[in-house]
Amino acid sequence: MDAKSTIEAGKAILGIEFGSTRIKAVLIDEDNRPIAQGCHEWENQLVDGLWSYSVEAVWFGLQDCYRDLRANVKELYGVEIERLASIGVSAMMHGYMAFDKNGKILTPFRTWRNTNTGRAAAELSELFVFNIPLRWSISHLYQAILDNEEHVKEIDFLTTLAGYIHWQITGERVLGIGDASGMLPIDPSTKDYSMEMVDKFDRLISDKGYKWTLTDILPKVLVAGESGGFLTPAGAKSIDISGHLQPGIPVCPPEGDAGTGMTATNAVKKCTGNVSAGTSSFSMIVLEKDLSKPYEVIDIVTTPDGSPVAMVHCNNCTSDLNAWVNIFREYSELMGYKVDMNEIYGRLYNNALTGDADCGGLMSYNYFSGEPVTGLTEGRPLLVRSVDDKFSLANFMRANLYASVSVLKIGNDILFNDEKIKVDRITGHGGLFKTPGVGQRVLAAALNSPISVMETAGEGGAWGMALLASYLVNNKEGSDLSEFLDKKVFAGDIGFEIIPTAEDVEGFNRYIKNYVDCLPIEQAAVEYKKQ
């Protein structure tokens, strides 16, 4: 069936992902191939010192993204989307969205980017004997309790951004297990929240006198392939303001962007991994055994079907790199040249590979926000160099590319060097890899591991979410998720692989030693601006 007929027959599948800077929709056919897409650009805002997106921005962004998708479908195929085989929604993992019994949000959405939860995360990590990161929902909740925030006693439902949107379009208070594992740790044997930790938390706050317990307010956990409900009439209108989209469409469990990244790179099987590199970056290594102990910089989450995953999450990745590239765009326009951003990125990135393997001594700290892995509660973007360093365009760009994965390297060195974790394949996806071969080579040097990138890497998490929606309705054989992806989606394709050179690995190691040694400079910049 061709794409037009697929859409007209209501057999197309829609995946939507709310990223940090872009909301993207991808429409796929019955063979899981992308056939149309739409997008909407947006930015977070500082609200009372915390990073947030307004509820109004969420719905305007969703509607504008879907409008753009409809326009793309009309342009390509001359038809309107009326029905779909299934839908899936994903978003930035974790964070904090709390609602009262009337469905009113109690405080502005607090995103993964906030680092105000240090005390809560530390106390919960000690209580649970399990690393609880700053950005997890349980950290935000307990920090609000420690801060005696009035809204806490009114909480009726606590969820993530993906869980919120899913709730509004289906009426179901559920969450995919991957996203849920960033609200509260998961028990692998039950594929549900750890009841031991639920009990510990309830006892911890028992003197507060709240009317709720933790299980009262958390969404129900679902694994990939389970039904997340159906699109309601109100839900259809909240997506498609034109009124063409019909209700009754099956909706799969909502997931976080880490889960969709694993799906989009076929990295849900044990001993596989992926790196997502965009506004933030994170690596996901599917474990075949437990780590020897908890690590503050390594999160234990799950795949969309519930397997344990070691996650290294970094708050900062390409934002500062993009800002510098934009400076070159402004310069080009100032000189009267017509510029194409893809060409600027391509030329600058490829030129970076001609620089010194250790960037000539230059260092870049790309911290737009705090970075928990390196202990920074706030960020100050910095370029650091000595007078005798080799300051060239190639070294400058290479240092900025290195910065985008430096914190990721620090966390993964624990997994590979200390825990001796073995990985058969690591696949990269996200904006860092759009220029062929460059970000891939940098990451290979950082992790001292071969890195693959697939042709579909640019489709990203929205495509991964569409695949999870496809798994809900097209898995007629009853395969597990990894088998479904192997046979129905990737069919043996592992993409294009780059193996790191000894020179690149040694150069990155020299760079990262200087980077770690000079972290007090970044800390001093943070402290100085506080005064």
Side-chain angles (χ1 to χ4, degrees), residues 20-193:
S20 300
T21 59
R22 184 172 65 160
I23 303 169
K24 184 174 180 180
V26 169
L27 201 65
I28 64 174
D29 63 16
E30 291 178 284
D31 293 320
N32 302 300
R33 296 172 300 198
I35 54 176
Q37 64 179 0
C39 69
H40 170 81
E41 307 288 333
W42 70 338
E43 288 288 347
N44 53 193
Q45 307 292 326
L46 267 176
V47 180
D48 297 328
L50 297 175
W51 292 105
S52 181
Y53 300 84
S54 70
V55 169
E56 292 76 16
V58 168
W59 293 108
F60 176 78
L62 174 59
Q63 292 161 4
D64 189 56
C65 177
Y66 188 80
R67 177 203 57 76
D68 193 47
L69 173 69
R70 287 181 55 236
N72 187 233
V73 168
K74 284 187 176 180
E75 179 183 356
L76 292 174
Y77 310 113
V79 296
E80 181 63 70
I81 304 170
E82 300 282 351
R83 290 196 57 80
L84 296 164
S86 57
I87 298 175
V89 176
S90 62
M92 300 165 274
M93 288 184 76
H94 323 319
Y96 182 81
M97 296 192 82
F99 301 87
D100 67 15
K101 63 182 180 181
N102 297 314
K104 178 184 177 183
I105 194 165
L106 292 166
T107 188
F109 168 38
R110 298 172 184 179
T111 78
W112 57 270
R113 200 170 201 172
N114 293 298
T115 55
N116 65 306
T117 56
R119 179 184 167 192
E123 292 186 10
L124 291 175
S125 295
E126 182 177 0
L127 177 70
F128 294 157
V129 195
F130 191 100
N131 178 45
I132 303 297
L134 302 181
R135 68 188 181 281
W136 280 19
S137 305
I138 195 69
S139 296
H140 284 281
L141 174 61
Y142 188 47
Q143 190 64 52
I145 292 171
L146 292 174
D147 293 339
N148 295 310
E149 294 193 38
E150 281 294 315
H151 80 268
V152 176
K153 65 178 182 294
E154 302 296 332
I155 295 177
D156 183 69
F157 183 44
L158 177 65
T159 191
T160 65
L161 179 56
Y164 164 65
I165 298 161
H166 184 95
W167 171 39
Q168 294 298 299
I169 65 173
T170 66
E172 301 290 339
R173 295 186 176 193
V174 300
L175 199 59
I177 193 170
D179 208 8
S181 67
M183 297 197 77
L184 187 74
I186 294 293
D187 181 343
S189 65
T190 64
K191 295 192 182 337
D192 202 349
Y193 302 115

Side-chain angles (χ1 to χ4, degrees), residues 443-463:
L443 182 63
L447 300 187
N448 191 17
S449 173
I451 303 295
S452 297
V453 171
M454 298 178 177
E455 288 185 11
T456 51
E459 302 296 341
W463 181 58

Side-chain angles (χ1 to χ4, degrees), residues 82-401:
E82 300 282 351
R83 290 196 57 80
L84 296 164
S86 57
I87 298 175
V89 176
S90 62
M92 300 165 274
M93 288 184 76
H94 323 319
Y96 182 81
M97 296 192 82
F99 301 87
D100 67 15
K101 63 182 180 181
N102 297 314
K104 178 184 177 183
I105 194 165
L106 292 166
T107 188
F109 168 38
R110 298 172 184 179
T111 78
W112 57 270
R113 200 170 201 172
N114 293 298
T115 55
N116 65 306
T117 56
R119 179 184 167 192
E123 292 186 10
L124 291 175
S125 295
E126 182 177 0
L127 177 70
F128 294 157
V129 195
F130 191 100
N131 178 45
I132 303 297
L134 302 181
R135 68 188 181 281
W136 280 19
S137 305
I138 195 69
S139 296
H140 284 281
L141 174 61
Y142 188 47
Q143 190 64 52
I145 292 171
L146 292 174
D147 293 339
N148 295 310
E149 294 193 38
E150 281 294 315
H151 80 268
V152 176
K153 65 178 182 294
E154 302 296 332
I155 295 177
D156 183 69
F157 183 44
L158 177 65
T159 191
T160 65
L161 179 56
Y164 164 65
I165 298 161
H166 184 95
W167 171 39
Q168 294 298 299
I169 65 173
T170 66
E172 301 290 339
R173 295 186 176 193
V174 300
L175 199 59
I177 193 170
D179 208 8
S181 67
M183 297 197 77
L184 187 74
I186 294 293
D187 181 343
S189 65
T190 64
K191 295 192 182 337
D192 202 349
Y193 302 115
S194 166
M195 291 311 300
E196 177 187 357
M197 298 183 194
V198 168
D199 291 340
K200 284 183 176 181
F201 186 85
D202 285 341
R203 288 197 299 270
L204 176 67
I205 66 167
S206 60
D207 62 334
K208 297 294 183 180
Y210 298 133
K211 297 177 182 178
W212 51 262
T213 63
L214 204 50
T215 51
D216 292 335
I217 63 174
L218 291 178
K220 179 182 178 182
V221 178
L222 299 176
V223 298
E226 292 188 300
S227 172
F230 298 87
L231 186 67
T232 64
K237 291 178 181 177
S238 66
I239 296 173
D240 180 12
I241 58 175
S242 75
H244 286 91
L245 186 63
Q246 298 300 303
I249 299 167
V251 186
C252 71
E255 266 298 349
D257 50 1
T260 60
M262 286 186 281
T263 305
T265 54
N266 194 19
V268 300
K269 189 184 299 182
K270 290 178 180 179
C271 296
T272 62
N274 82 94
V275 169
S276 174
T279 305
S280 64
S281 68
F282 49 82
S283 62
M284 311 287 290
I285 307 298
V286 187
L287 300 173
E288 59 177 347
K289 64 178 182 177
D290 293 337
L291 301 185
S292 63
K293 62 180 180 179
Y295 292 92
E296 188 175 351
V297 300
I298 298 173
D299 314 340
I300 301 300
V301 291
T302 79
T303 62
D305 57 350
S307 296
V309 175
M311 178 182 192
V312 177
H313 184 280
C314 311
N315 280 2
N316 303 279
C317 186
T318 59
S319 293
D320 196 40
L321 180 59
N322 293 339
W324 280 114
V325 172
N326 197 54
I327 289 292
F328 289 101
R329 177 192 63 80
E330 290 185 17
Y331 172 75
S332 299
E333 291 176 348
L334 181 66
M335 296 298 292
Y337 303 125
K338 184 178 179 180
V339 295
D340 175 86
M341 287 303 292
N342 288 328
E343 183 178 3
I344 291 179
Y345 273 102
R347 287 182 179 271
L348 288 173
Y349 278 27
N350 281 288
N351 186 59
L353 298 183
T354 69
D356 296 309
D358 64 354
C359 306
L362 275 61
M363 286 178 294
S364 174
Y365 295 95
N366 61 343
Y367 297 179
F368 266 46
S369 64
E371 192 56 80
V373 172
T374 49
L376 276 296
T377 57
E378 295 183 29
R380 305 285 181 268
L382 292 177
L383 177 70
V384 179
R385 64 187 179 103
S386 301
V387 292
D388 56 350
D389 288 336
K390 299 176 183 177
F391 190 49
S392 66
L393 177 60
N395 283 338
F396 169 78
M397 285 305 302
R398 191 162 185 147
N400 280 284
L401 282 163

Side-chain angles (χ1 to χ4, degrees), residues 424-439:
D424 298 330
R425 186 185 75 249
I426 298 177
T427 306
H429 75 121
L432 183 65
F433 305 105
K434 283 185 178 179
T435 299
V438 179

